[in-house]
Amino acid sequence: GVQTCALPISRQPITIERYRPDFTKVLANAAFSVSLAGYNTTLETLAMNVPALFIPKYSLREDSSLKTSTEQLYRLRRLSERGIASYVHPEDVQNAGKFSRILVDEFKRSRQGAQRPCGLDFSGAKNSVAAISDLLKGKTQGFTPSPVTALQL
């Protein structure tokens, strides 16, 4: 369901939704996003240059300890180290006071200056078509296949 709340950082209501089929359309018009850090959500948010705070997926074990998505946490740490994305650790999300302070601080930080592009190349499909086209046209003289990483984290 949809929830609306007010925080001391905005005069406008803040809408909280679990899922939107038109996520990218809503995201394109967002002033700030707080999202789980799935691969697609993270890259779509970065590509649209929307200020954001990401949360790696997590769950609570029976003993109340946290089980965090290692892959998402690793990706977020690397993006954060490069100044590309901000994230909050699930342990901090569990502490409402701490999470609120982090959220307010990140929102304020995002308002202090123009959001700069993240500097990642999001034209992987276009580049793949060009590379395959070159291969099919025989433009591979001196070409030695090597592992390629689109986003080297």
Side-chain angles (χ1 to χ4, degrees):
V2 176
Q3 296 177 321
T4 302
C5 64
L7 290 176
I9 56 176
S10 174
R11 294 172 197 222
Q12 301 297 318
I14 295 171
T15 304
I16 301 170
E17 298 184 60
R18 291 183 67 84
Y19 172 76
R20 288 287 300 244
D22 59 342
F23 173 70
T24 54
K25 183 178 178 181
V26 172
L27 182 63
N29 295 302
F32 189 78
S33 174
V34 179
S35 297
L36 287 176
Y39 185 80
N40 289 338
T41 300
T42 300
L43 292 186
E44 287 167 348
T45 303
L46 293 175
M48 291 185 189
N49 205 37
V50 174
L53 180 64
F54 294 103
I55 305 167
K57 185 177 178 179
Y58 68 95
S59 59
L60 291 174
R61 295 184 175 119
E62 286 184 27
D63 66 358
S64 296
S65 65
L66 290 176
K67 178 182 179 187
T68 303
S69 167
T70 307
E71 168 243 333
Q72 290 181 10
L73 186 57
Y74 175 79
R75 182 183 320 111
L76 290 172
R77 282 182 178 152
R78 298 298 301 247
L79 290 169
S80 177
E81 288 168 2
R82 288 165 173 72
I84 295 172
S86 296
Y87 76 98
V88 59
H89 195 280
E91 289 175 2
D92 295 332
V93 173
Q94 295 300 303
N95 179 324
K98 188 169 188 176
F99 180 55
S100 294
R101 285 189 299 280
I102 292 170
L103 177 58
V104 168
D105 289 347
E106 284 299 320
F107 181 81
K108 286 180 179 177
R109 189 183 61 74
S110 77
R111 309 316 299 153
Q112 289 176 351
Q115 182 76 4
R116 61 183 173 86
C118 68
L120 298 175
D121 181 4
F122 293 101
S123 53
K126 178 182 170 185
N127 293 341
S128 295
V129 168
I132 292 169
S133 178
D134 286 349
L135 285 171
L136 294 173
K137 291 177 185 173
K139 296 181 180 179
T140 59
Q141 293 178 341
F143 175 75
T144 305
S146 63
V148 176
T149 305
L151 173 60
Q152 205 163 18
L153 298 174

